[in-house]
């Protein structure tokens, strides 16, 4: 029987001038609170260490290299690794990665209770655009500052559980979930920074954004018989608002814990991973029911075609 107490550590807005050390202090406070509640695995958001800088445009992208980490752990994040090890807690968080080859990725890592990085995931589905677009109410320049990830979606067994990672916009894509599901994933952890307003439509505000977020999480968890954590960086950052709504979802697609505010907040659930087996051996028994001879378009075609 595999049970773990799992947590989402939602982080409120991080302003431009906030140091990595100050953010890590906030992360540690939530980690200690989690430890006091017996939590064994904790998830932090996408790009936890910095403000969501892709809302800003710079002509010379090198000016933004200071938002990126060139090693992990580093001086600022080492206390996080040390505290998690002392607590015997596994964890995941997102940050901006600049590789020795000079490549920029939106990255998340999965770290074992022994402090070993067990999985590095680089965001696949980068939303937004690469150039300044004045018709948008705000910029979302992830395609300018990051390369599409080169890792793909991988699953590793940690703390007795098959764990996988995805980042923010990835949660809206069924392909993400199914590739993880095909590796018998039992816990998917996803950090996000979701602006509360669609930058091309006044009709899509915070309520609809929360709806689409939960819809994606619940469908992904249910259809792949997995526990899932979605954890926000949210509230107001540099005058821009992002949705909260961190959730923990069970393998039946039900939300079992939900954040109530838009600041630093911990939500916790007792996850019984044996519950993943029922869906995976019945309705979503992939080996019994999938018909791959009809799925060719999923990998052969990117955009939608029109009927002849
Ligand atoms: N960070 C990130 O990926 N944000 C996107 C905003 C685009 S809205 C479709 C998200 O999917 O939440």
């Amino acid at each position: 029987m595999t049970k773990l107490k799992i947590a989402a550590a939602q982080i409120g807005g991080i302003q431009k001038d906030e140091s990595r050390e100050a953010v890590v202090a906030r992360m540690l406070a939530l980690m200690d609170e989690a430890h006091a509640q017996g939590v064994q695995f904790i998830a932090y958001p996408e790009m936890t260490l910095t403000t969501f800088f892709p809302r800003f445009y710079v002509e010379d992208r090198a000016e933004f290299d200071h938002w990126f980490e060139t090693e992990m752990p580093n001086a600022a994040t080492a206390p996080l690794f040390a505290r998690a090890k002392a607590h015997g807690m596994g964890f995941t968080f997102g940050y901006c990665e600049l590789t020795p080859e000079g490549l920029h990725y939106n990255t998340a890592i999965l770290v074992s209770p022994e402090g070993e990085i067990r999985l590095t995931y680089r965001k696949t589905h980068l939303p937004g655009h690469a150039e300044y677009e004045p018709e948008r109410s705000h910029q979302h320049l992830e395609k300018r500052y990051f390369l599409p990830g080169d890792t793909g979606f991988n699953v590793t067994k940690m703390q007795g559980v098959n764990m996988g990672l995805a980042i923010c916009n990835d949660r809206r894509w069924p392909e993400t979930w199914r590739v993880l599901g095909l590796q018998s994933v039992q816990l998917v952890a996803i950090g996000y920074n979701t602006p509360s307003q669609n930058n091309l439509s006044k009709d899509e505000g915070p309520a609809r954004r929360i709806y689409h977020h939960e819809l994606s999480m619940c469908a992904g968890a249910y259809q792949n018989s997995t526990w899932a954590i979605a954890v926000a960086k949210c509230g107001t950052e540099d005058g821009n608002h992002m949705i909260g709504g961190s959730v923990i979802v069970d393998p039946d697609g039900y939300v079992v814990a939900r954040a109530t505010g838009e600041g630093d907040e911990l939500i916790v659930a007792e996850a019984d991973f044996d519950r993943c087996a029922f869906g995976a051996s019945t309705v979503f028994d992939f080996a019994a029911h999938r018909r791959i001879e009809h799925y060719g378009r999923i990998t052969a075609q990117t955009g939608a075609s029109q009927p002849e």
Side-chain angles (χ1 to χ4, degrees):
M1 190 161 74
T2 309
K3 283 187 180 169
L4 283 184
K5 212 168 209 192
I6 60 175
Q10 177 174 287
I11 301 282
I14 294 172
Q15 313 312 317
K16 251 182 173 173
D17 57 1
E18 202 162 338
S19 69
R20 310 283 209 275
E21 287 76 10
V23 176
V24 169
R26 289 166 58 181
M27 296 169 80
L28 288 173
L30 290 168
M31 187 179 272
D32 289 346
E33 188 184 331
H35 178 60
Q37 292 187 45
V39 167
Q40 296 151 291
F41 178 81
I42 188 168
Y44 296 97
E46 174 190 35
M47 228 182 272
T48 312
L49 302 174
T50 63
T51 198
F52 189 75
F53 66 83
R55 66 172 70 93
F56 303 118
Y57 175 84
V58 277
E59 187 71 38
D60 176 8
R61 54 139 315 133
E63 281 178 38
F64 271 5
D65 278 358
H66 65 95
W67 297 118
F68 288 76
E69 316 301 317
T70 53
E71 53 181 352
M72 192 56 65
N74 55 27
T77 57
L80 195 67
F81 283 68
R83 189 74 57 88
K85 197 170 169 180
H87 290 332
M89 203 183 289
F91 67 103
T92 177
F93 73 100
Y95 63 95
C96 302
E97 178 192 11
L98 176 52
T99 71
E101 298 76 31
L103 305 176
H104 298 77
Y105 295 107
N106 186 339
T107 296
I109 51 172
L110 183 70
V111 185
S112 73
E114 294 76 36
E116 184 193 343
I117 297 178
R118 293 289 305 278
L119 207 58
T120 297
Y121 170 68
R122 294 172 174 152
K123 185 174 181 178
T124 303
H125 300 101
L126 296 174
H129 43 107
E131 298 302 329
Y132 187 84
E133 295 185 1
E135 68 277 19
R136 295 178 187 267
S137 60
H138 58 268
Q139 302 298 298
H140 195 111
L141 290 153
E142 286 195 57
K143 281 181 159 54
R144 183 174 191 82
Y145 301 122
F146 301 112
L147 287 170
D150 60 353
T151 56
F153 303 99
N154 300 303
V155 173
T156 190
K157 198 177 195 86
M158 191 176 100
Q159 298 176 276
V161 174
N162 298 340
M163 297 191 188
L165 301 174
I167 300 178
C168 194
N169 191 253
D170 288 325
R171 72 196 187 287
R172 304 182 194 277
W173 298 86
E175 294 87 343
T176 300
W177 293 93
R178 186 47 48 89
V179 172
L180 292 169
L182 284 166
Q183 297 168 79
S184 304
V185 76
Q186 295 171 304
L187 176 61
V188 180
I190 303 181
Y192 61 98
N193 286 252
T194 298
S196 53
Q197 187 66 46
N198 184 312
N199 61 9
L200 288 173
S201 167
K202 284 195 175 57
D203 295 337
E204 192 180 325
R208 208 176 283 193
R209 285 255 152 143
I210 286 278
Y211 174 73
H212 291 152
H213 150 66
E214 279 202 14
L215 181 69
S216 303
M217 290 304 301
C218 294
Y222 165 65
Q223 292 169 350
N224 294 281
S225 313
T226 182
W227 286 87
I229 302 175
V231 54
K233 181 144 69 61
C234 57
T236 302
E237 266 194 1
D238 305 315
N240 296 271
H241 189 255
M242 299 189 294
I243 60 166
S246 300
V247 285
I248 299 177
V249 183
D250 75 11
D252 250 347
Y254 283 88
V255 172
V256 296
R258 182 187 276 113
T260 54
E262 293 183 340
D264 295 5
E265 181 178 342
L266 191 74
I267 58 170
V268 174
E270 177 85 33
D272 177 353
F273 292 95
D274 292 344
R275 286 187 54 205
C276 299
F278 183 72
S281 60
T282 56
V283 175
F284 296 112
D285 178 343
F286 294 160
H289 306 307
R290 293 182 79 243
R291 291 288 167 225
I292 59 171
E293 65 272 29
H294 300 302
Y295 303 159
R297 281 184 194 270
I298 298 284
T299 54
Q301 185 176 329
T302 307
S305 55
Q306 294 294 325
E308 310 236 312

